[in-house]
mmCIF file with all atom_site columns, all heavy atoms in Angstrom:
data_model
loop_
_atom_site.group_PDB
_atom_site.id
_atom_site.type_symbol
_atom_site.label_atom_id
_atom_site.label_alt_id
_atom_site.label_comp_id
_atom_site.label_asym_id
_atom_site.label_entity_id
_atom_site.label_seq_id
_atom_site.pdbx_PDB_ins_code
_atom_site.Cartn_x
_atom_site.Cartn_y
_atom_site.Cartn_z
_atom_site.occupancy
_atom_site.B_iso_or_equiv
_atom_site.pdbx_formal_charge
_atom_site.auth_seq_id
_atom_site.auth_comp_id
_atom_site.auth_asym_id
_atom_site.auth_atom_id
_atom_site.pdbx_PDB_model_num
ATOM 1   N N   . SER A 1 249 ? 20.556 -14.400 -16.211 1.00 97.00 ? 249 SER A N   1
ATOM 2   C CA  . SER A 1 249 ? 21.943 -14.786 -15.943 1.00 97.00 ? 249 SER A CA  1
ATOM 3   C C   . SER A 1 249 ? 22.622 -13.725 -15.083 1.00 97.00 ? 249 SER A C   1
ATOM 4   O O   . SER A 1 249 ? 22.123 -12.609 -14.913 1.00 97.00 ? 249 SER A O   1
ATOM 5   C CB  . SER A 1 249 ? 22.706 -14.954 -17.263 1.00 97.00 ? 249 SER A CB  1
ATOM 6   O OG  . SER A 1 249 ? 22.727 -13.725 -17.976 1.00 97.00 ? 249 SER A OG  1
ATOM 7   N N   . GLU A 1 250 ? 23.768 -14.102 -14.521 1.00 97.00 ? 250 GLU A N   1
ATOM 8   C CA  . GLU A 1 250 ? 24.715 -13.209 -13.849 1.00 97.00 ? 250 GLU A CA  1
ATOM 9   C C   . GLU A 1 250 ? 24.125 -12.487 -12.651 1.00 97.00 ? 250 GLU A C   1
ATOM 10  O O   . GLU A 1 250 ? 24.473 -11.339 -12.358 1.00 97.00 ? 250 GLU A O   1
ATOM 11  C CB  . GLU A 1 250 ? 25.286 -12.177 -14.835 1.00 97.00 ? 250 GLU A CB  1
ATOM 12  C CG  . GLU A 1 250 ? 26.026 -12.789 -16.011 1.00 97.00 ? 250 GLU A CG  1
ATOM 13  C CD  . GLU A 1 250 ? 26.584 -11.733 -16.933 1.00 97.00 ? 250 GLU A CD  1
ATOM 14  O OE1 . GLU A 1 250 ? 27.608 -11.120 -16.570 1.00 97.00 ? 250 GLU A OE1 1
ATOM 15  O OE2 . GLU A 1 250 ? 25.978 -11.513 -18.005 1.00 97.00 ? 250 GLU A OE2 1
ATOM 16  N N   . ASN A 1 251 ? 23.229 -13.118 -11.921 1.00 98.00 ? 251 ASN A N   1
ATOM 17  C CA  . ASN A 1 251 ? 22.690 -12.531 -10.700 1.00 98.00 ? 251 ASN A CA  1
ATOM 18  C C   . ASN A 1 251 ? 23.574 -12.900 -9.515  1.00 98.00 ? 251 ASN A C   1
ATOM 19  O O   . ASN A 1 251 ? 24.143 -13.992 -9.455  1.00 98.00 ? 251 ASN A O   1
ATOM 20  C CB  . ASN A 1 251 ? 21.266 -13.033 -10.465 1.00 98.00 ? 251 ASN A CB  1
ATOM 21  C CG  . ASN A 1 251 ? 20.341 -12.651 -11.597 1.00 98.00 ? 251 ASN A CG  1
ATOM 22  O OD1 . ASN A 1 251 ? 19.944 -11.498 -11.724 1.00 98.00 ? 251 ASN A OD1 1
ATOM 23  N ND2 . ASN A 1 251 ? 19.996 -13.628 -12.452 1.00 98.00 ? 251 ASN A ND2 1
ATOM 24  N N   . GLN A 1 252 ? 23.672 -11.984 -8.546  1.00 97.00 ? 252 GLN A N   1
ATOM 25  C CA  . GLN A 1 252 ? 24.438 -12.237 -7.333  1.00 97.00 ? 252 GLN A CA  1
ATOM 26  C C   . GLN A 1 252 ? 23.497 -12.312 -6.131  1.00 97.00 ? 252 GLN A C   1
ATOM 27  O O   . GLN A 1 252 ? 22.706 -11.395 -5.905  1.00 97.00 ? 252 GLN A O   1
ATOM 28  C CB  . GLN A 1 252 ? 25.452 -11.123 -7.095  1.00 97.00 ? 252 GLN A CB  1
ATOM 29  C CG  . GLN A 1 252 ? 26.523 -11.014 -8.159  1.00 97.00 ? 252 GLN A CG  1
ATOM 30  C CD  . GLN A 1 252 ? 27.530 -9.942  -7.805  1.00 97.00 ? 252 GLN A CD  1
ATOM 31  O OE1 . GLN A 1 252 ? 28.144 -9.962  -6.730  1.00 97.00 ? 252 GLN A OE1 1
ATOM 32  N NE2 . GLN A 1 252 ? 27.690 -8.976  -8.694  1.00 97.00 ? 252 GLN A NE2 1
ATOM 33  N N   . PRO A 1 268 ? 18.007 -21.522 -14.868 1.00 94.00 ? 268 PRO A N   1
ATOM 34  C CA  . PRO A 1 268 ? 18.790 -21.501 -16.120 1.00 94.00 ? 268 PRO A CA  1
ATOM 35  C C   . PRO A 1 268 ? 20.290 -21.584 -15.857 1.00 94.00 ? 268 PRO A C   1
ATOM 36  O O   . PRO A 1 268 ? 20.795 -21.142 -14.813 1.00 94.00 ? 268 PRO A O   1
ATOM 37  C CB  . PRO A 1 268 ? 18.430 -20.152 -16.747 1.00 94.00 ? 268 PRO A CB  1
ATOM 38  C CG  . PRO A 1 268 ? 17.166 -19.729 -16.080 1.00 94.00 ? 268 PRO A CG  1
ATOM 39  C CD  . PRO A 1 268 ? 17.184 -20.319 -14.712 1.00 94.00 ? 268 PRO A CD  1
ATOM 40  N N   . ALA A 1 269 ? 21.009 -22.152 -16.806 1.00 93.00 ? 269 ALA A N   1
ATOM 41  C CA  . ALA A 1 269 ? 22.469 -22.179 -16.720 1.00 93.00 ? 269 ALA A CA  1
ATOM 42  C C   . ALA A 1 269 ? 23.003 -20.755 -16.664 1.00 93.00 ? 269 ALA A C   1
ATOM 43  O O   . ALA A 1 269 ? 22.561 -19.885 -17.417 1.00 93.00 ? 269 ALA A O   1
ATOM 44  C CB  . ALA A 1 269 ? 23.042 -22.915 -17.924 1.00 93.00 ? 269 ALA A CB  1
ATOM 45  N N   . GLY A 1 270 ? 23.915 -20.504 -15.734 1.00 94.00 ? 270 GLY A N   1
ATOM 46  C CA  . GLY A 1 270 ? 24.481 -19.166 -15.581 1.00 94.00 ? 270 GLY A CA  1
ATOM 47  C C   . GLY A 1 270 ? 23.585 -18.179 -14.856 1.00 94.00 ? 270 GLY A C   1
ATOM 48  O O   . GLY A 1 270 ? 23.883 -16.973 -14.845 1.00 94.00 ? 270 GLY A O   1
ATOM 49  N N   . PHE A 1 271 ? 22.494 -18.685 -14.260 1.00 97.00 ? 271 PHE A N   1
ATOM 50  C CA  . PHE A 1 271 ? 21.573 -17.782 -13.569 1.00 97.00 ? 271 PHE A CA  1
ATOM 51  C C   . PHE A 1 271 ? 22.263 -17.053 -12.429 1.00 97.00 ? 271 PHE A C   1
ATOM 52  O O   . PHE A 1 271 ? 22.033 -15.869 -12.199 1.00 97.00 ? 271 PHE A O   1
ATOM 53  C CB  . PHE A 1 271 ? 20.379 -18.574 -13.042 1.00 97.00 ? 271 PHE A CB  1
ATOM 54  C CG  . PHE A 1 271 ? 19.279 -17.722 -12.471 1.00 97.00 ? 271 PHE A CG  1
ATOM 55  C CD1 . PHE A 1 271 ? 18.439 -17.005 -13.297 1.00 97.00 ? 271 PHE A CD1 1
ATOM 56  C CD2 . PHE A 1 271 ? 19.096 -17.623 -11.095 1.00 97.00 ? 271 PHE A CD2 1
ATOM 57  C CE1 . PHE A 1 271 ? 17.431 -16.199 -12.780 1.00 97.00 ? 271 PHE A CE1 1
ATOM 58  C CE2 . PHE A 1 271 ? 18.097 -16.830 -10.560 1.00 97.00 ? 271 PHE A CE2 1
ATOM 59  C CZ  . PHE A 1 271 ? 17.265 -16.110 -11.404 1.00 97.00 ? 271 PHE A CZ  1
ATOM 60  N N   . LEU A 1 272 ? 23.124 -17.758 -11.713 1.00 95.00 ? 272 LEU A N   1
ATOM 61  C CA  . LEU A 1 272 ? 23.910 -17.150 -10.643 1.00 95.00 ? 272 LEU A CA  1
ATOM 62  C C   . LEU A 1 272 ? 25.305 -16.862 -11.161 1.00 95.00 ? 272 LEU A C   1
ATOM 63  O O   . LEU A 1 272 ? 25.927 -17.695 -11.821 1.00 95.00 ? 272 LEU A O   1
ATOM 64  C CB  . LEU A 1 272 ? 23.983 -18.070 -9.433  1.00 95.00 ? 272 LEU A CB  1
ATOM 65  C CG  . LEU A 1 272 ? 22.667 -18.371 -8.726  1.00 95.00 ? 272 LEU A CG  1
ATOM 66  C CD1 . LEU A 1 272 ? 22.912 -19.280 -7.523  1.00 95.00 ? 272 LEU A CD1 1
ATOM 67  C CD2 . LEU A 1 272 ? 21.966 -17.098 -8.272  1.00 95.00 ? 272 LEU A CD2 1
ATOM 68  N N   . GLN A 1 273 ? 25.796 -15.677 -10.844 1.00 90.00 ? 273 GLN A N   1
ATOM 69  C CA  . GLN A 1 273 ? 27.166 -15.328 -11.232 1.00 90.00 ? 273 GLN A CA  1
ATOM 70  C C   . GLN A 1 273 ? 28.141 -16.133 -10.414 1.00 90.00 ? 273 GLN A C   1
ATOM 71  O O   . GLN A 1 273 ? 28.028 -16.232 -9.187  1.00 90.00 ? 273 GLN A O   1
ATOM 72  C CB  . GLN A 1 273 ? 27.401 -13.838 -11.036 1.00 90.00 ? 273 GLN A CB  1
ATOM 73  C CG  . GLN A 1 273 ? 28.808 -13.366 -11.408 1.00 90.00 ? 273 GLN A CG  1
ATOM 74  C CD  . GLN A 1 273 ? 28.929 -11.874 -11.345 1.00 90.00 ? 273 GLN A CD  1
ATOM 75  O OE1 . GLN A 1 273 ? 28.179 -11.137 -11.974 1.00 90.00 ? 273 GLN A OE1 1
ATOM 76  N NE2 . GLN A 1 273 ? 29.862 -11.395 -10.543 1.00 90.00 ? 273 GLN A NE2 1
ATOM 77  N N   . GLN A 1 274 ? 29.116 -16.721 -11.078 1.00 67.00 ? 274 GLN A N   1
ATOM 78  C CA  . GLN A 1 274 ? 30.106 -17.531 -10.383 1.00 67.00 ? 274 GLN A CA  1
ATOM 79  C C   . GLN A 1 274 ? 31.051 -16.650 -9.583  1.00 67.00 ? 274 GLN A C   1
ATOM 80  O O   . GLN A 1 274 ? 31.452 -15.561 -10.022 1.00 67.00 ? 274 GLN A O   1
ATOM 81  C CB  . GLN A 1 274 ? 30.901 -18.367 -11.390 1.00 67.00 ? 274 GLN A CB  1
ATOM 82  C CG  . GLN A 1 274 ? 30.058 -19.355 -12.159 1.00 67.00 ? 274 GLN A CG  1
ATOM 83  C CD  . GLN A 1 274 ? 29.394 -20.384 -11.253 1.00 67.00 ? 274 GLN A CD  1
ATOM 84  O OE1 . GLN A 1 274 ? 30.025 -20.904 -10.335 1.00 67.00 ? 274 GLN A OE1 1
ATOM 85  N NE2 . GLN A 1 274 ? 28.109 -20.656 -11.507 1.00 67.00 ? 274 GLN A NE2 1
ATOM 86  N N   . GLU A 1 275 ? 31.396 -17.096 -8.382  1.00 59.00 ? 275 GLU A N   1
ATOM 87  C CA  . GLU A 1 275 ? 32.366 -16.366 -7.558  1.00 59.00 ? 275 GLU A CA  1
ATOM 88  C C   . GLU A 1 275 ? 33.737 -16.407 -8.248  1.00 59.00 ? 275 GLU A C   1
ATOM 89  O O   . GLU A 1 275 ? 34.116 -17.412 -8.814  1.00 59.00 ? 275 GLU A O   1
ATOM 90  C CB  . GLU A 1 275 ? 32.472 -17.000 -6.174  1.00 59.00 ? 275 GLU A CB  1
ATOM 91  C CG  . GLU A 1 275 ? 31.211 -16.894 -5.350  1.00 59.00 ? 275 GLU A CG  1
ATOM 92  C CD  . GLU A 1 275 ? 30.905 -15.461 -4.941  1.00 59.00 ? 275 GLU A CD  1
ATOM 93  O OE1 . GLU A 1 275 ? 31.860 -14.642 -4.890  1.00 59.00 ? 275 GLU A OE1 1
ATOM 94  O OE2 . GLU A 1 275 ? 29.727 -15.140 -4.684  1.00 59.00 ? 275 GLU A OE2 1
ATOM 95  N N   . PRO A 1 276 ? 34.493 -15.292 -8.225  1.00 51.00 ? 276 PRO A N   1
ATOM 96  C CA  . PRO A 1 276 ? 35.821 -15.299 -8.849  1.00 51.00 ? 276 PRO A CA  1
ATOM 97  C C   . PRO A 1 276 ? 36.776 -16.229 -8.104  1.00 51.00 ? 276 PRO A C   1
ATOM 98  O O   . PRO A 1 276 ? 36.608 -16.472 -6.936  1.00 51.00 ? 276 PRO A O   1
ATOM 99  C CB  . PRO A 1 276 ? 36.256 -13.841 -8.749  1.00 51.00 ? 276 PRO A CB  1
ATOM 100 C CG  . PRO A 1 276 ? 35.467 -13.266 -7.602  1.00 51.00 ? 276 PRO A CG  1
ATOM 101 C CD  . PRO A 1 276 ? 34.149 -13.994 -7.619  1.00 51.00 ? 276 PRO A CD  1
#
Side-chain angles (χ1 to χ4, degrees):
S249 61
E250 300 181 76
N251 299 286
Q252 296 183 56
F271 188 74
L272 296 181
Q273 180 173 305
Q274 297 298 317
E275 294 292 336

